[in-house]
């Protein structure tokens, strides 16, 4: 496929509909999404923020082992999931639990990985969501292969593949974009450029003018968008998804956003960035921006806000309930899914562990009987 | 040289004499014809038919949608195969040479091997990764590695290394039909060796086979080393010693029962492989035989393997590779005087 360079290069400024205070700007490159969609997006944003806050709290309470928060990046999370049809697929990273839940995965199932019960807690086929990928950029290739299979069968499935700015330095990022472009696959690559790969700033990832500029090297369009402007993100993602569905091939979308929290609870971000910089981005909060706009448009009543808050609280309660319950994972699960059928070797090893467990249980039982006996004396 | 574990074939219409490369080609063609979800891709596998001509004619017969060249990107090939398997296809990918497969290592170890486990069986990686491997062909650096231990060490993978055209055909068909991912290692030195192939014959994965009966000691081998072991057994027979040869074929899982029964029957074992011996498949075999057959053994299990050095350059490989003499020296050291 031959393209004019000008069609593939990103614009000089990111696509942006709303300024920091929620005032509409004169953006002509894309149509403004309808108010009804912005209302839905706002609802999703509030729920997303509440999930992030709740999960961070659950880490402090020791209920989650770790939580990489998308606080501040919720507009990207919402815009990744909302434009997809039910038959489409999302390929998320470890920081995208909110987008995973946005596709309909029950919050408790989305947290199974981070609470340490199993490596993934939902059925990917039921929701059209791949397991959250931890090794960077590896899932972008899965997304390309998934879309390739759909294309071979003549299906119009679209795949959204998510990654961060750090992942764009990985070899798999290059291989995935190249494959998707060469085969004209229906993949939208959404890069959340949040400024940091743990502590390493974007300047150490690339010398390119922007990450979206990389697209032209693969022969696909690159788009820069304000990652804290849900309206702009939805407009750009809809266009990219529509293009992919119509057979137009992949698009690279770079969303400029910011990771408000540290990388995870285990990280200390005071060692590598100024509080003033964080505060600047707090002021660009995606929720406040869309809320202001909807209020000015008279599209967000106090009653609606109450309803949205209640919905967000219900999701938070669901998360708390799920994680307060004591989970006792079954050790036999270790052997159940390695192969479709257990090998004789795995049968032997499970038999050994089962025997250990049985003996432990026996000696515990004997100990407690002994203690009771002592007490009786 | 005719290579087969079976009795001479009958004149059945399903039997033909094929090279190992031809047998793999035949298996791919039959799988493509039998199942529309099978796709074959990799570097140079399309128009060219593969650098070893293993995919010769497949693109022309089945179309470029099902047999196609990819960009030159091994991680990309395997990563895309993962996505295809997630979406109902059965990809059979070729990584052109053993050492050129290494860029795909993360995809193989972190996703191919683990996706089924991660998703509690919801997303089984039904796919085959074909890798031409091994030395003895005068290849330069990066073309002769025996990389099987990396894969055999990884839980979730099935690793197959056939030594006859029949096993190559039957085990590749079984690999493509398997719900689990299979690393299918094709020894380059065996590619042009001919043998009878019966396309109706089924050989399951995970089973070893006694390639030659014998009573005095057991040679345990796989891939091209099976040939060397058979040659050694022939020489030994002329010298009055009866050596049994076991072709383990399946490096993961290992067929403990067959290996155990064979070694117990002779009481002596030599494990042969061309990979460096330290922390290798040969090491695992020796350890298992020691654990399972100790009271039957007349002598310690010996290993004849490649040295613990990078694979030799063409003019030195004959010093590196296990040969008949080295195997017979090891057999000679198995405490015969104590009997």
């Amino acid at each position: 496929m031959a393209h004019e360079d000008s069609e593939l290069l990103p614009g000089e400024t990111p696509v942006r509909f709303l300024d920091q205070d929620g005032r509409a700007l004169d953006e002509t490159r894309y149509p403004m999404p309808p108010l009804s969609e912005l209302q839905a997006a706002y609802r999703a944003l509030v729920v997303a923020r509440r999930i992030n806050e709740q999960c961070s709290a659950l880490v402090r309470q020791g209920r989650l082992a770790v939580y990489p928060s998308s606080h501040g990046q919720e507009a990207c999370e919402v815009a990744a999931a909302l434009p997809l049809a039910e038959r489409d697929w999302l390929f998320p990273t470890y920081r995208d639990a909110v987008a995973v839940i946005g596709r309909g995965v029950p919050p408790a199932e989305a947290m199974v990985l981070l609470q340490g019960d199993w490596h993934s807690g939902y059925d990917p086929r039921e929701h059209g969501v791949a397991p959250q990928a931890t090794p960077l950029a590896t899932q972008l290739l899965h997304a390309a292969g998934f879309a390739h299979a759909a294309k071979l069968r003549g299906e119009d499935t679209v795949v959204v593949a998510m990654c961060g700015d750090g992942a764009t330095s990985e070899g798999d990022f290059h291989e995935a974009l190249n494959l998707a472009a060469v085969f004209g696959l229906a993949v939208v690559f959404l890069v959340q450029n949040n400024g940091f790969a743990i502590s390493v700033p974007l300047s150490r990832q690339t010398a390119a003018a922007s990450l979206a500029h990389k697209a032209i090297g693969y022969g696909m369009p690159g788009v820069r968008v304000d990652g804290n402007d849900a309206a702009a993100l939805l407009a750009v993602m809809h266009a990219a998804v529509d293009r992919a569905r119509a057979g137009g091939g992949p698009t690279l979308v770079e969303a400029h956003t910011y990771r408000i929290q540290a990388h995870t609870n285990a990280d200390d971000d005071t060692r590598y960035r100024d509080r003033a910089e964080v505060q600047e981005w707090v002021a660009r909060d995606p929720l406040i921006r869309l809320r202001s706009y909807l209020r000015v448009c008279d599209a967000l009543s106090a009653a609606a806000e109450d309803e949205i808050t209640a919905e967000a609280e219900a999701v938070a309660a669901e998360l708390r309930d799920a994680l307060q319950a004591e989970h006792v994972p079954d050790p036999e699960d270790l052997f159940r899914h390695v192969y479709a059928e257990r090998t004789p070797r795995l049968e032997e090893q499970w038999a050994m562990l089962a025997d250990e467990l049985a003996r432990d249980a026996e000696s515990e039982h004997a100990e407690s009987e002994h203690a009771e006996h002592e007490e009786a004396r | 040289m005719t290579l087969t574990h079976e009795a001479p074939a009958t004149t059945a219409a399903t039997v033909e004499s094929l090279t190992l490369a031809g047998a793999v080609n035949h298996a791919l063609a039959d799988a493509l014809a039998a199942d529309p979800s099978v796709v074959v891709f990799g570097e140079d596998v399309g128009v060219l038919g593969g650098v070893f001509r293993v995919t010769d004619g497949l693109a022309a017969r089945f179309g470029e949608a099902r047999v196609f060249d990819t960009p030159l990107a091994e991680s990309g090939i395997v990563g895309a195969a993962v996505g295809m398997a997630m979406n109902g296809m059965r990809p059979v990918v070729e990584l052109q040479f053993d050492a050129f497969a290494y860029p795909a290592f993360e995809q193989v170890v972190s996703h191919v091997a683990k996706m089924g486990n991660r998703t509690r069986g919801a997303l089984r990686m039904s796919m085959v990764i074909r890798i031409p491997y091994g030395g003895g062909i005068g290849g330069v650096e990066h073309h002769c590695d025996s990389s099987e231990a990396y894969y055999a060490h990884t839980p979730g993978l099935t690793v197959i290394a056939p030594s006859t055209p029949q096993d190559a055909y039957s085990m590749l068909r079984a690999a493509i039909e398997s719900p689990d991912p299979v690393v299918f290692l094709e020894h380059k030195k065996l590619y042009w060796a001919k043998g009878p192939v019966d396309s109706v014959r089924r050989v399951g994965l995970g089973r070893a086979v006694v390639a030659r009966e014998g009573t005095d000691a057991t040679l345990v081998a796989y891939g091209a080393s099976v040939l060397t072991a058979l040659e050694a057994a022939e020489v030994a027979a002329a010298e009055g010693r009866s050596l049994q040869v076991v072709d383990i074929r399946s490096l993961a899982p290992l067929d403990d029962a067959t290996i155990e029964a064979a070694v117990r029957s002779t009481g002596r074992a030599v494990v042969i492989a061309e990979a460096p011996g330290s922390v290798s498949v040969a090491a695992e075999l020796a350890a298992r035989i020691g654990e399972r057959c100790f009271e039957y053994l007349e002598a310690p299990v010996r290993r004849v393997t490649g040295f613990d050095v990078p694979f030799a350059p063409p003019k030195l490989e004959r010093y590196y590779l296990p040969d008949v003499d080295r195997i017979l020296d090891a057999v000679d050291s198995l405490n015969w005087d104590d009997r």
Side-chain angles (χ1 to χ4, degrees):
Chain A
M1 269 173 263
H3 294 280
E4 292 294 328
D5 284 359
S6 57
E7 290 171 25
L8 303 184
L9 278 172
E12 281 182 20
T13 57
V15 177
R16 176 181 292 151
F17 284 114
L18 306 177
D19 75 5
Q20 196 158 323
D21 301 315
R23 283 183 295 258
L25 298 166
D26 187 25
E27 175 61 74
T28 56
R29 289 172 285 185
Y30 290 81
M32 178 69 136
L35 267 180
S36 60
E37 183 165 39
L38 296 181
Q39 288 168 322
Y42 182 70
R43 177 181 294 266
L45 279 175
V46 173
V47 173
R49 175 63 51 82
R50 192 67 190 90
I51 291 170
N52 278 328
E53 289 170 351
Q54 183 60 70
C55 289
S56 295
L58 286 163
V59 172
R60 290 192 293 274
Q61 295 160 21
R63 293 287 170 180
L64 283 176
V66 64
Y67 183 69
S69 177
S70 59
H71 188 117
Q73 302 173 221
E74 289 94 343
C76 301
E77 296 289 304
V78 167
L82 266 189
L84 291 178
E86 205 172 312
R87 65 185 181 283
D88 296 335
W89 271 62
L90 183 77
F91 285 73
T93 76
Y94 55 81
R95 200 179 297 286
D96 301 320
V98 165
V100 170
I101 294 168
R103 283 287 287 169
V105 173
E109 291 183 19
M111 288 304 132
V112 165
L113 166 72
L114 301 177
Q115 90 193 79
D117 278 11
W118 196 249
H119 313 296
S120 180
Y122 50 91
D123 182 349
R125 290 188 200 282
E126 196 183 332
H127 307 284
V129 185
Q132 286 176 270
T134 306
L136 296 187
T138 55
Q139 77 283 4
L140 306 181
L141 281 165
H142 308 165
F146 195 95
H148 200 155
K151 182 173 179 158
L152 289 176
R153 289 198 298 263
E155 297 162 358
D156 70 349
T157 312
V158 175
V159 174
V160 166
M162 306 175 76
C163 72
D165 45 306
T168 65
S169 300
E170 294 280 359
D172 278 3
F173 175 84
H174 160 69
E175 295 192 19
L177 269 72
N178 195 41
L179 266 163
V182 165
F183 291 111
L185 304 176
V187 186
V188 179
F189 296 97
L190 173 60
V191 180
Q192 293 186 56
N193 174 0
N194 68 11
F196 290 92
I198 302 188
S199 68
V200 180
L202 184 70
S203 59
R204 194 44 69 87
Q205 303 300 342
T206 185
S210 79
L211 295 172
H213 276 79
K214 295 186 176 209
I216 192 172
Y218 302 107
M220 73 171 79
V223 183
R224 299 166 71 192
V225 56
D226 184 326
N228 286 17
D229 177 352
L233 275 160
L234 284 169
V236 166
M237 289 299 291
H238 269 298
V241 166
D242 291 349
R243 181 173 183 277
R245 199 174 315 278
T251 303
L252 173 61
V253 176
E254 177 189 9
H256 295 263
T257 184
Y258 195 81
R259 199 191 71 211
I260 298 294
Q261 308 282 341
H263 169 63
T264 66
N265 48 293
D267 175 37
D268 175 9
D269 67 332
T270 62
R271 295 172 72 97
Y272 54 82
R273 61 184 187 181
D274 283 343
R275 292 305 90 187
E277 182 185 288
V278 178
Q279 283 315 310
E280 263 174 48
W281 280 92
V282 168
R284 295 175 195 152
D285 192 291
L287 275 76
I288 295 170
R289 197 184 295 198
L290 187 56
R291 180 176 182 270
S292 304
Y293 178 72
L294 290 175
R295 299 275 293 186
V296 166
C297 296
D298 220 7
L300 185 65
S301 66
E305 287 216 74
D306 288 347
E307 199 187 304
I308 292 170
T309 306
E311 186 186 330
E313 284 310 319
V315 172
E318 195 182 333
L319 271 169
R320 283 195 305 273
D321 290 348
L323 295 173
Q324 298 300 343
E326 274 313 321
H327 296 264
V328 185
D330 180 357
E332 193 176 353
D333 276 0
L334 291 172
F335 303 93
R336 283 200 170 100
H337 309 290
V338 185
Y339 298 94
E341 212 175 299
R342 247 180 266 190
T343 61
R345 182 83 169 169
L346 291 184
E347 289 290 5
E348 276 178 26
Q349 294 180 347
W350 163 236
M352 189 188 92
L353 176 56
D355 180 55
E356 282 176 16
L357 295 172
R359 280 183 289 145
D360 285 353
E362 235 170 72
S363 63
E364 261 171 45
H365 181 69
E367 265 171 41
S368 70
E369 280 204 338
H370 179 71
E372 271 169 37
H373 182 70
E374 289 290 300
E375 231 167 77
R377 281 175 54 174
Chain B
M1 177 168 39
T2 294
L3 271 181
T4 179
H5 289 328
E6 279 81 29
T10 62
T11 51
T14 51
V15 178
E16 50 188 317
S17 178
L18 292 173
T19 62
L20 193 143
V24 173
N25 179 281
H26 198 11
L28 290 171
D30 288 355
L32 281 159
D35 182 350
S37 68
V38 173
V39 283
V40 171
F41 57 96
E43 296 156 5
D44 301 302
V45 303
V47 177
L48 179 67
V51 295
F52 295 103
R53 304 295 179 267
V54 168
T55 55
D56 192 27
L58 297 181
R61 182 173 162 197
F62 295 98
E64 295 206 358
R66 297 187 66 200
V67 181
F68 55 90
D69 291 325
T70 64
L72 222 161
E74 294 77 15
S75 186
I77 290 166
V78 176
V82 169
M84 282 197 173
M86 290 169 83
N87 200 0
M89 307 299 275
R90 288 180 181 265
V92 184
V93 302
E94 175 176 303
L95 298 177
Q96 203 162 71
F97 279 91
D98 34 62
F100 299 163
Y102 300 146
F105 198 65
E106 181 181 28
Q107 288 289 348
V108 173
V109 170
S110 292
H111 294 302
V112 174
K114 291 178 181 160
M115 189 69 80
N117 185 62
R118 180 180 301 143
T119 60
R120 294 178 182 273
L123 296 178
R124 287 252 160 248
M125 293 288 98
S126 204
M127 58 186 281
V128 178
I129 301 173
R130 294 181 37 246
I131 307 176
Y133 82 111
I137 54 156
V140 295
E141 198 185 11
H142 312 299
H143 292 74
C144 297
D145 283 9
S146 284
S147 45
E148 61 269 25
Y150 305 129
Y151 306 109
H153 184 68
T154 304
L157 298 178
T158 298
V159 184
I160 302 297
S163 75
T164 68
Q166 179 70 61
D167 281 353
Y169 177 86
S170 299
M171 296 182 97
L172 183 53
R173 292 297 305 273
I176 295 169
E177 286 165 13
S178 169
D180 297 313
V182 178
V183 174
F184 198 83
L185 298 168
E186 299 161 11
H187 201 293
K188 293 185 282 281
K189 198 179 165 188
L190 299 176
Y191 263 148
W192 312 119
K194 274 197 164 187
V197 174
D198 182 345
S199 57
V200 174
R201 193 191 290 271
R202 292 283 165 193
V203 178
L205 304 176
R207 302 299 298 276
V209 63
V210 175
R212 179 188 172 109
E213 296 292 350
T215 53
D216 294 335
T218 302
L219 306 180
V220 182
Y222 55 91
S225 295
V226 174
L227 259 69
T228 320
L230 288 169
E231 279 174 50
E234 197 66 36
V235 173
E239 294 168 357
R241 193 168 271 162
S242 167
L243 301 183
Q244 181 191 43
V245 178
V246 175
D247 178 357
I248 68 166
R249 303 191 290 199
S250 171
L251 316 193
L254 286 170
D255 181 359
D256 290 310
T258 300
I259 298 164
E260 189 180 302
V263 173
R264 286 183 177 189
S265 75
T266 65
R268 290 179 170 83
V270 177
V271 180
I272 304 143
E274 68 178 72
S278 287
V279 203
S280 64
V281 172
E284 178 65 20
L285 284 163
R288 289 203 196 186
I289 293 168
E291 277 181 351
R292 289 168 181 268
C293 308
F294 182 74
E295 58 271 37
Y296 295 82
L297 289 173
E298 305 286 345
V301 180
R302 290 289 309 271
R303 278 181 285 163
V304 178
T305 67
F307 300 122
D308 294 328
V309 302
F311 192 84
K315 289 179 180 171
L316 294 176
E317 69 177 359
R318 66 196 168 97
Y319 302 109
Y320 171 92
L321 290 166
D323 63 3
V324 169
D325 287 343
R326 210 173 278 162
I327 293 169
L328 293 177
D329 284 349
V331 171
D332 281 344
S333 76
L334 298 175
N335 282 351
W336 300 97
D337 301 339
D338 293 349
R339 218 175 217 186

